């Protein structure tokens, strides 16, 4: 069945929603459609062995529960079974008892299926449908739907489940992309992850694959298919966890039907209830391969306390020692979670792990030097785990048209990749879809996936491809060579954020305008305030403060008279005159009071003398403070001489404020300059437009 057919099948299933109008709102249809689709799939899968299961149930009825379970499952030739005489067709034989019989049919499934149905809370929907006289009609429609493996294989069934979740999420105004990653994106991720592996061809090779945000299991399924397509004897073991009940139930169902260990799909929050923290022998879980497409831009406020506690108590022995991202985007938390599950590399070079994860642009550069995101990037790059980042085309995902990126990481880089990072620009690697799905208008072709895998494997700096894009002026397609691969040293992504200071230069004058500003200085205003409660002590303190304010005003008036409003460009000289005026009134100004007066009477003046502290050091002007990012490989003093001092010779670096940061400005590295059009071409276009406008006006006024 092709993609169009699976879409038609999903639409057929959603057409059944017409029967739900009235009892259900649009955003509630999924409560019925999803569990019934899963149930019907189980029903069709077990159809061929139904009679054998019923016989085995009767024959082995007196056996212990564990023995009976194994024998009946063997008869079903599946890790699950149903011992009820009912199936979807037979449920229709007794319309009056269909609710009772359907519940009995569900209860007759093996415990692993009952757990799945319980996660849907489907019993409540059975009662609701029966009460509104809709249950028989809905079951009748599903009974006519052939979901047998001969008609719909496991891969296509995965498409159907994800399409149903996507449509249901849209109707509920949810982020569908939290559940559904386009299959071709997963194929590219898996190809990048597994293609360089030298041991995949070994007989009966065992590999573990893990997805901490597995959704309906698409990534796990594609990774498994890739392994088996390259080695029929490979034995991939799939592991996953998801917080969404529906997605978890669908993924678990898929694993059961394919004969995988469905117990390896855990329900829960990977951050606060890690399903793969420790094994039964108390050793930590590690995996050979890990893939994920965590939700973009989702806040982690609810998990904040647990995550912070782990960081503070365990540090780098836990998952989040490198740092925490902003509260409104937990993408990098998923990556740290996965990195904590990398297998160690043995002395002979075996072992280790490879990771592929999908991000939006935020994890590339968000966060200042010294901030959480930057520290996480620094930790990753300095440990030499970042192998490749691939910029994908936009409009590739169903719920968003924004740009996305695949990060590939490993703790066992090949020799020529050590200390290096490869950036791949795949933004023009796409074909237009004949029919868009939500925001998805582009897709990757099989040939493009193969080519990107080759580009990654060749590890060549400056590799080019002839790519077609749109001319920004003519809007016509154009084909030209573009660099699609660049190789960088790890240090190329690091920088020192330096604080550039310039000296404080102020002039001072005791003019009426400046003296009036003293009334706005907090220190001066607080002189006439009291924190005491109403009463004599409060009033006495306020009266004393008012007297102090009058004394300062008198001092400033005297200063104005003695200086005649002269502008003085040296702070020490002006301060001396201020103290002399205060002494004339027998007033001894405190340091905070002098600071307040100088703030009121001072103004910045680039021609004034530099203000110095008591040690003779230049004081910085916070208003002129600036920052510069200096690449790690460059000397800061040389940078200042070249970039700063030609413009501001008196600037200096406050080294105590220097911070190290890391970012990956991928788009900037692949920027292609578009020269402006020649003036004569622009002039010709303007004349053409003028002629067209004149012709249109003539037609209107004729």
């Amino acid at each position: 069945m092709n993609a169009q057919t699976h879409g038609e099948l999903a639409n057929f299933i959603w057409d059944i929603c017409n029967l739900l109008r009235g009892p259900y709102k649009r955003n509630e249809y999924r409560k019925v459609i999803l569990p019934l689709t899963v149930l019907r799939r189980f029903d069709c899968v077990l159809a061929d062995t139904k009679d054998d299961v019923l016989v085995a149930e009767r024959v082995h009825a007196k056996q212990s529960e564990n023995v009976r379970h194994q024998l009946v499952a063997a008869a079903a030739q599946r890790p699950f079974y149903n011992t009820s005489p009912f199936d979807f067709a037979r449920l229709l034989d007794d319309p009056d008892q269909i609710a009772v019989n359907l519940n009995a049919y569900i209860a007759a499934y093996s415990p692993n299926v009952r757990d799945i149905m319980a996660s849907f809370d489907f019993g409540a929907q059975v009662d609701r449908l029966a009460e509104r006289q809709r249950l028989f009609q809905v079951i009748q429609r599903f009974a006519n739907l052939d979901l047998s493996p001969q008609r719909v294989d496991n891969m296509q069934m995965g498409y159907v489940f994800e399409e149903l979740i996507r449509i249901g999420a849209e109707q509920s105004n949810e982020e569908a992309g939290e559940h559904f990653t386009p299959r071709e994106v997963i194929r590219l991720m898996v190809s990048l992850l597994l293609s360089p592996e030298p041991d995949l061809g070994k007989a009966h090779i065992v590999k573990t694959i893990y997805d901490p945000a597995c959704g309906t299991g698409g990534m796990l399924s594609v990774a498994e298919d890739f392994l088996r397509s390259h080695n029929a004897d490979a034995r991939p073991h799939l592991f996953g966890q998801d917080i969404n009940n529906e997605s978890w139930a669908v993924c678990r169902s898929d694993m059961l039907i394919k004969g995988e260990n469905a117990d390896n799909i855990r329900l829960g929050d990977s951050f606060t209830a890690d399903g793969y923290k420790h094994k039964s022998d108390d050793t930590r879980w590690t995996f050979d391969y890990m893939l994920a497409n965590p939700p973009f831009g989702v806040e982690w406020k609810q998990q904040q306390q647990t995550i912070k506690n782990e960081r503070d108590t365990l540090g780098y022995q836990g998952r989040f020692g490198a740092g925490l991202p902003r509260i409104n985007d937990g993408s990098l938390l998923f990556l740290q979670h996965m990195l904590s599950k990398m297998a160690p590399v043995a002395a002979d070079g075996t072992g280790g792990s490879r990771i592929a994860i999908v991000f939006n642009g935020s994890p590339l550069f968000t966060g200042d030097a010294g901030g959480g995101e930057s520290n996480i990037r620094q930790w990753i790059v300095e440990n030499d785990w970042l192998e490749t980042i691939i910029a994908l085309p936009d409009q590739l995902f169903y719920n968003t048209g924004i740009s996305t990126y695949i990060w590939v990481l490993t703790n066992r880089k090949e020799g020529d990749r050590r200390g290096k990072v490869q950036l791949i620009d795949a933004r023009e690697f796409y074909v237009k879809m004949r029919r868009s799905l939500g925001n998805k208008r582009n897709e990757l072709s099989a040939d493009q996936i193969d080519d990107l895998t080759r580009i990654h494997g060749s590890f060549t700096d400056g590799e080019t491809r002839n790519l077609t894009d749109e001319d920004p002026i003519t809007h016509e397609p154009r084909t030209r060579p573009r660099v699609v691969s660049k190789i960088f040293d790890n240090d190329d992504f690091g920088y020192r954020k330096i604080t550039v200071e310039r000296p404080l230069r102020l002039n001072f004058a005791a003019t009426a305008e400046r003296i009036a500003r003293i009334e706005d200085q907090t220190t001066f205003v607080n002189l006439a305030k009291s924190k005491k409660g109403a009463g004599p002590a409060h009033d006495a303190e306020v009266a004393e403060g008012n007297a102090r304010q009058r004394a300062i005003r008198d001092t400033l008036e005297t200063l104005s008279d003695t200086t005649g409003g002269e502008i003085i460009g040296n702070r020490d000289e002006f301060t001396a005159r201020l103290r002399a005026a205060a002494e004339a009134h027998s007033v001894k100004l405190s340091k905070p009071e002098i600071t307040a007066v100088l703030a009121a009477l001072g103004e910045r003046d680039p021609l004034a003398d530099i203000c110095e502290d008591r040690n003779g050091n230049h004081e910085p002007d916070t208003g002129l403070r600036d920052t510069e990012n200096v690449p790690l490989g460059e000397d800061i003093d040389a940078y200042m001489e070249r970039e700063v001092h030609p413009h501001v010779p008196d600037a200096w670096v406050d080294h105590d404020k220097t911070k190290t940061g890391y970012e990956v400005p991928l788009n900037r590295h692949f920027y292609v300059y578009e020269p402006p059009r020649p003036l004569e071409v622009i002039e010709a276009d303007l004349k053409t437009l003028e002629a067209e406008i004149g012709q249109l006006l003539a037609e209107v006024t004729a």
Side-chain angles (χ1 to χ4, degrees), residues 26 55 59 161 178 206 221 319 332 354 435 456 458 495 601 639 641 691:
R26 285 175 59 86
V55 170
V59 171
F161 283 137
E178 294 184 17
V206 176
S221 296
R319 295 172 291 175
L332 285 171
R354 289 180 62 78
R435 177 185 175 188
H456 171 256
S458 67
Y495 63 92
L601 274 57
Y639 179 90
E641 286 301 319

Side-chain angles (χ1 to χ4, degrees), residues 29-46:
Y29 292 167
R30 62 198 288 179
K31 295 180 180 180
V32 174
I33 298 301
L34 261 180
L36 275 178
T37 303
V38 170
L39 202 61
R40 178 57 177 156
R41 176 66 168 179
F42 282 135
D43 191 61
C44 292
V45 168
L46 293 174

